[in-house]
Amino acid sequence: MASHRLPFENRWTNGAHAWEWHCELERIGVSNVRAMFSDHETHHGAEPAVVFDIPAGFVRDWLAFHDRRAAHQQFWWRASVIALSSVAAGAAILAAVR
């Protein structure tokens, strides 16, 4: 089996097991995992596992990774919209001057 590298820091288990957890969480989806984690923290906080046998700390790190990635994508989206708007405004000003 090929060795996979997680896109976030893993302090919870070895590489192969962590990769299985990562794939399972990806399959379930961010919004569903977030809801399951919220339910776990609210009602079952003493239990070590959130989703199947995946520990709460791993799920927390996985969700934090997705939050950082979403914030990064949103930053670049906003930056590109601002840049393109500036170019369009500059072109409109130049067209009005001529």
Side-chain angles (χ1 to χ4, degrees), residues 21 24-25 27-28 36 47-55 59:
W21 290 350
E24 182 65 25
L25 294 175
R27 185 188 65 75
I28 294 170
M36 294 168 88
E47 296 175 13
V50 176
V51 180
F52 306 117
D53 65 340
I54 304 173
V59 174

Side-chain angles (χ1 to χ4, degrees), residues 6-96:
L6 291 175
F8 59 94
E9 182 182 357
N10 171 34
R11 303 179 308 251
W12 305 100
T13 189
N14 66 19
H17 205 75
W19 186 254
E20 291 174 13
W21 290 350
H22 171 70
C23 291
E24 182 65 25
L25 294 175
E26 290 290 333
R27 185 188 65 75
I28 294 170
V30 175
S31 59
N32 290 334
V33 170
R34 192 176 308 279
M36 294 168 88
F37 183 72
S38 175
D39 179 64
H40 173 268
E41 292 296 303
T42 304
H43 302 295
H44 311 285
E47 296 175 13
V50 176
V51 180
F52 306 117
D53 65 340
I54 304 173
F58 187 87
V59 174
R60 187 178 298 113
D61 291 348
W62 183 83
L63 287 170
F65 160 72
H66 278 281
D67 291 344
R68 284 190 307 273
R69 189 169 70 172
H72 183 69
Q73 288 174 341
Q74 186 177 40
F75 169 79
W76 286 109
W77 170 254
R78 286 181 179 178
S80 64
V81 167
I82 290 169
L84 292 174
S85 298
S86 299
V87 168
I93 290 172
L94 288 177

